[in-house]
Structure formats: C-alpha cells, structure tokens
C-alpha cells in the first residue's frame, strides 16, 4: 500500500506547487521570462510579472556574474545545463572580441491592484554574455539566468509550422550544438490578448538532445538567422494545428475584404504560397 500512497501524493504535491506559483502574493515573472530566454536587441526591454498588490518591486538587469551568481546561490538555482547523452559531449563556446557590456541597472515600480507590474529598460546591443534578471519585493526574489540579448522571432500558423519532422533531421540534430539558439513553444488558443501564458513552458538551448523537439521550419529558420547574423536568436513557436487561416491574419486586413468568396480566395492564395515556402525549406 505504501507505494500507492506515494503515487497518490505526487499529483497532489504538483498541484500544490502550481497553486503556490500562481498565488497572487507570490513574486514572479510572466511565464515567458525565464532561464535561457533571449531579449530583443536594440529595442526597449519590457519586463513584467506579478507580486503582492501595491507592493514595491525592484528589478535588476545585469551581466555582473558575481551579482547574478550570488542571487542564484541564495535561491539554490544552478545554471541550467541539459544532461548530455553518451560518454562525452562537445559544447560550442562563443568568444566575442570586445563584447558590448550591459551596465547593471535597477528600476523600481509598484504593483497594481491586481498585482501586475512592469518596467522598461533602455535598448541593449546583442551579446553572448550571460545576463541575469533579478526581481525583489518584500523579502521575495525571482530570478531568470543564462539570458542572452539578440533577435526574437515568432513562428505562428497551422500544423505545417508546428510539424517536427524533416528529411535530414537526424543529421542536423546530431551536430546541433548551438547554445546561442534558444527555442520555446506551446499550443494554446484563445481569441483575445492574455496577460500571461496559460501553460508552464521553458526556453531550451539548442543541443543534440533538445533539437529533436524543435519544430522543423522554426529550427531551420532560426539556425539560418543565427549563423547569418552571428547573434543569439530566440524562436517563439505558437503554431496550432487545425486553426483557420483567418486566425493568423490581421483584423484590419480581414475587414478590408468585401465578401466571403473573395476572402476565401485571398486566404487560400496566402496559404498556398506559405505551403510552398515550407516545402522548399523542408526539402
């Protein structure tokens, strides 16, 4: 009976941990702000999350390893390193000559009545230097580490964007050791803006192990950008199979279409060109 009791406790403890993470008085970042993420270069950096209503929140953005690691040590967080399979592994290390340094900066804000807070940091240059995002409020601390600054691209659409197989995936994945390429994906449909992702997801560094879980077009496109631009690249994949073409069109474009037959033809033309691009990329 004891093993059964333990198994029954596991779902209960998991549900309890999720409930605690969603506690309105628990300091946290929005779910997309987490370890291994990429921040957009040359644009204002907006960070947001939740805390106790009306509480003061301090957010620090830093590349000071001693500061970032000291916070990580206090929280008991070690650097996220995916376990390598086999007897050994080889990791690519990026060496930048005179890399741009991000000056440590702390901003202070106050959470709204619903607990949500947000801050905006100045634009920063692309860099492979590890960055830490630290939030502190009322004795609580939240941390996102191993963050990079580079390019963020969103891949959205139907099943052809979420499809995970392509002809040379086995050969690509075996040598896909590029920690500067990051990937996050989730399937969740709602036809209105949301303040946060409804699922628990995590950013992944590209490695021979994690590349197996990347969708095909986002992986190939992200790898091209990473090699061509020579900066960190973060891919956000929100494709959802079975959704209508209209779902992924701008409302103002749909409103400009006079009638349904024209709308259908217009959408089919876009879908046909999209399918052709996908086929060319996957061959």
């Amino acid at each position: 009976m004891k093993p059964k009791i333990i198994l029954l406790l596991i779902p209960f403890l998991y549900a309890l941990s999720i409930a605690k993470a969603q506690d309105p008085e628990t300091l946290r970042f929005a779910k997309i702000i987490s370890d291994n993420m990429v921040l957009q270069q040359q644009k204002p950096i907006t960070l947001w999350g939740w805390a106790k209503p009306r509480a003061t929140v301090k957010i620090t953005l830093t590349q000071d390893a001693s500061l970032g690691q000291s916070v990580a040590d206090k929280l008991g967080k070690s650097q996220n390193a995916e376990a390598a399979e086999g007897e050994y592994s080889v990791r690519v290390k990026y060496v930048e000559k005179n890399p741009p340094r991000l000056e440590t900066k702390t901003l202070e804000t106050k959470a709204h009545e619903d607990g949500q807070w947000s801050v905006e940091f100045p634009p920063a240059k692309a860099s492979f230097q590890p960055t830490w995002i630290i939030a502190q409020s009322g004795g609580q601390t939240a941390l996102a580490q191993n963050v990079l600054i580079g390019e963020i691209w969103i891949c959205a659409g139907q099943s052809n964007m979420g499809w995970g197989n392509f002809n040379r995936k086995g050969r690509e994945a075996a040598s896909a050791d590029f920690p500067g390429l990051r990937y996050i994906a989730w399937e969740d449909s709602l036809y209105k803006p949301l303040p946060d992702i409804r699922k628990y997801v995590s950013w992944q560094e590209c490695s021979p192990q994690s590349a197996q879980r990347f969708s095909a077009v986002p992986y190939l496109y992200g790898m091209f950008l990473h090699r061509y631009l020579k900066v960190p690249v973060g891919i956000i994949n929100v494709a959802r199979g079975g959704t209508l073409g209209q779902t992924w069109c701008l409302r103002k474009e749909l409103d400009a279409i006079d009638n349904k037959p024209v709308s259908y033809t217009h959408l089919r033309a876009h879908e046909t060109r999209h399918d052709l691009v996908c086929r060319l990329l996957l061959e």
Side-chain angles (χ1 to χ4, degrees):
M1 290 297 294
K2 288 183 179 180
K4 292 183 180 179
I5 293 173
I6 293 173
L7 289 175
L8 287 172
L9 280 174
I10 290 175
F12 172 75
L13 293 174
Y14 177 70
L16 190 63
S17 65
I18 290 180
K20 183 178 179 181
Q22 294 179 333
D23 186 326
E25 295 196 358
T26 297
L27 175 67
R28 71 174 181 89
F29 294 114
K31 292 172 188 171
I32 199 168
I33 301 174
S34 61
D35 294 354
N36 306 319
M37 75 175 298
V38 177
L39 299 172
Q40 176 62 45
Q41 65 165 331
Q42 306 292 2
K43 297 286 184 180
I45 298 172
T46 301
L47 303 173
W48 75 102
W50 282 263
K52 183 178 179 180
R54 300 178 298 280
T56 298
V57 184
K58 292 183 179 180
I59 302 90
T60 300
L61 192 63
T62 183
Q63 289 180 346
D64 183 341
S66 60
L67 173 58
Q69 197 54 51
S70 66
V71 174
D73 291 342
K74 289 179 182 177
L75 295 177
K77 290 185 64 173
S78 58
Q79 285 281 18
N80 276 0
E82 187 166 354
E85 296 178 359
E87 296 180 358
Y88 66 93
S89 64
V90 177
R91 298 293 284 162
V92 175
K93 182 178 180 181
Y94 297 95
V95 179
E96 296 176 287
K97 293 182 178 179
N98 301 316
R101 298 296 301 182
L102 180 71
E103 181 181 354
T104 298
K105 189 174 183 64
T106 298
L107 298 180
E108 185 174 303
T109 188
K110 183 168 287 189
H112 300 305
E113 292 292 331
D114 62 356
Q116 187 171 353
W117 54 265
S118 67
V119 293
E120 186 178 282
F121 286 88
K125 294 181 179 179
S127 173
F128 288 100
Q129 301 302 308
T131 303
W132 286 262
I133 306 172
I134 306 164
Q136 296 172 310
S137 177
Q140 299 183 68
T141 302
L143 172 70
Q145 60 182 344
N146 195 27
V147 175
L148 300 180
I149 302 171
E151 282 291 306
I152 287 283
W153 287 77
I154 296 177
C155 294
Q158 301 159 312
S159 56
N160 48 14
M161 186 62 77
W163 187 52
N165 294 309
F166 58 99
N167 294 341
R168 61 178 188 271
K169 186 171 186 177
R171 285 176 289 168
E172 285 281 346
S175 59
D177 227 328
F178 297 94
L181 175 61
R182 310 289 175 85
Y183 179 82
I184 190 171
W186 66 90
E187 286 190 356
D188 193 9
S189 298
L190 193 72
Y191 296 98
K192 66 178 182 179
L194 292 172
D196 200 7
I197 302 169
R198 295 188 293 179
K199 295 187 175 183
Y200 282 87
V201 292
S202 60
W203 286 85
Q204 312 232 357
E205 292 184 353
C206 183
S207 70
Q209 292 75 41
S210 65
Q212 298 286 349
R213 300 188 289 274
F214 286 26
S215 293
V217 172
Y219 168 78
L220 293 173
Y221 185 65
M223 185 58 68
F224 169 78
L225 289 173
H226 185 42
R227 289 170 169 168
Y228 180 76
L229 299 175
K230 297 178 176 60
V231 299
V233 172
I235 297 293
I236 300 173
N237 187 6
V238 290
R240 183 66 183 266
T243 49
L244 298 175
Q246 292 94 323
T247 306
W248 305 103
C249 294
L250 294 175
R251 169 52 58 186
K252 64 179 181 180
E253 293 184 0
L254 291 176
D255 291 342
I257 300 173
D258 295 331
N259 55 62
K260 291 183 179 179
V262 174
S263 173
Y264 177 78
T265 303
H266 178 79
L267 292 170
R268 287 300 303 166
H270 279 287
E271 289 176 356
T272 301
R273 287 195 292 271
H274 179 63
D275 290 342
L276 176 61
V277 171
C278 289
R279 285 199 298 273
L280 291 174
L281 283 171
L282 299 176
E283 287 178 355

